[in-house]
Amino acid sequence: MRVVILEDAAAVSNRAADIFCHTLRKRPDCVLGLATGGTPLKTYQELARRYQNGEVSFSDATSFNLDEYVGLPAGHPQSYRQFMHEHLFSCTDFDASRCHLPDGSGNDLKGASEQYESAILAAGGIDLQLLGIGSDGHIAFNEPGSSLASRTRVKALTQQTRQDNARFFQSIDEVPRLSITVGIGTILDAKHILLLATGEKKASAVRAFVEGPVTSMLPASALQMHRHVTVLVDEAAAAWLSRADYYRQVEEVQSELEGS
Ligand code: F6R
């Protein structure tokens, strides 16, 4: 796991955008795994800015989002489809027909979950998977206790996650109780995983998943089992890391190697 400690959230977003652009330049028809929530917003803004400057194009890319609430009608302002449209798809040249999110609006949620897994496979798998992390260590909506081998399925949200996400709704009562989410196994199949964490509220979860044991009680810890993970954190989210000095030292050496 490569842990990169950066000054602030803006630096995290810039570095994340660099990694996206590098992936897209290497393979314009790559498959991107995308996340919603507060953390990736600045990265999406930066990608939109670079697109508008002619620095990057998404026209041949395919995307799969991590998750979607169950029961919100299409077009609901808090649905993740709407979020993606507003913050990334409509600001860039993504081809809407290749932008996928799980469908949490129908009656056959099991069928929709299975179809989603098949669609990812048919697209050739995810090249770059973007992740945020919940304050309880969840990735996508795999809450503590989720199987580390899980695939796309319906998952109940914890009270903690509903509370964390209530800021986007009028009240916590409006936050759905269920989601369709890719599984931890689905995430681990991605070729490169990029996790972003910013702010002091994430410091405890960051320490636990980077330096603690691998356990289903802290879903992000499963990333320790993956061969290519980049973790970008700001100083506030890195505050509880006991080996921060070592990660900084590794980065210095790594930058020298990459520069040479
Ligand atoms: C969103 C998702 C979630 C968020 C996590 C952090 O698609 O899968 O796991 O990444 O809840 O959310 P923020 O970024 O709002 O703190």
Side-chain angles (χ1 to χ4, degrees):
M1 206 183 296
R2 183 169 175 181
V3 181
V4 187
I5 303 172
L6 296 158
E7 196 182 338
D8 53 20
V12 166
S13 321
N14 273 330
R15 185 70 72 89
D18 289 348
I19 293 173
F20 267 89
C21 291
H22 177 77
T23 306
L24 282 153
R25 266 185 223 116
K26 233 174 52 188
R27 203 178 142 204
D29 63 345
C30 63
V31 181
L32 300 170
L34 300 175
T36 55
T39 311
L41 270 179
K42 284 199 172 72
T43 302
Y44 293 159
Q45 276 165 16
E46 177 60 17
L47 287 173
R49 192 193 65 76
R50 292 186 193 193
Y51 160 70
Q52 275 145 25
N53 276 357
E55 294 169 42
V56 66
S57 168
F58 302 86
S59 61
D60 294 327
T62 297
S63 72
F64 288 91
N65 263 76
L66 289 168
D67 38 23
E68 178 60 283
Y69 289 119
V70 166
L72 295 186
H76 187 287
Q78 297 311 332
S79 75
Y80 283 170
R81 180 169 287 284
Q82 195 56 30
F83 175 102
M84 291 308 298
H85 175 75
E86 196 178 320
H87 297 290
L88 188 64
F89 299 151
S90 69
C91 324
T92 57
D93 61 347
F94 264 105
D95 176 344
S97 70
R98 283 201 299 272
C99 295
H100 308 274
L101 282 95
D103 180 6
S105 65
N107 291 328
D108 181 12
L109 297 175
K110 189 165 184 290
S113 305
E114 284 165 7
Q115 266 172 27
Y116 204 64
E117 282 283 328
S118 308
I120 294 174
L121 269 183
I126 307 241
D127 293 300
L128 177 65
Q129 176 64 65
L130 180 64
L131 295 177
I133 181 169
S135 55
D136 60 1
H138 70 231
I139 45 175
F141 275 138
N142 296 285
E143 297 285 22
S146 294
S147 159
L148 301 187
S150 49
R151 313 299 308 189
T152 304
R153 70 214 181 290
V154 174
K155 194 78 193 162
L157 305 183
T158 59
Q159 193 59 10
Q160 169 80 60
T161 298
R162 294 184 65 235
Q163 244 157 31
D164 287 350
N165 290 4
R167 67 191 194 276
F168 299 114
F169 292 80
Q170 304 281 9
S171 78
I172 188 168
D173 299 330
E174 285 183 19
V175 184
R177 286 167 199 278
L178 296 177
S179 66
I180 292 198
T181 178
V182 299
I184 299 174
T186 322
I187 291 170
L188 291 177
D189 283 348
K191 293 174 190 86
H192 181 190
I193 298 175
L194 173 63
L195 186 145
L196 314 182
T198 54
E200 60 189 6
K201 282 196 185 136
K202 302 295 170 71
S204 156
V206 166
R207 175 170 184 177
F209 97 85
V210 173
E211 297 179 341
V214 175
T215 165
S216 63
M217 296 316 289
L218 207 293
S221 65
L223 302 183
Q224 291 180 28
M225 306 295 290
H226 192 278
R227 283 190 303 181
H228 192 186
V229 178
T230 307
V231 179
L232 303 182
V233 282
D234 66 0
E235 293 285 355
W240 290 23
L241 287 170
S242 67
R243 306 186 74 222
D245 288 347
Y246 176 66
Y247 308 136
R248 288 197 174 93
Q249 202 181 313
V250 170
E251 269 319 291
E252 269 177 40
V253 176
Q254 195 70 33
S255 313
E256 277 169 30
L257 284 176
E258 283 166 7
S260 64

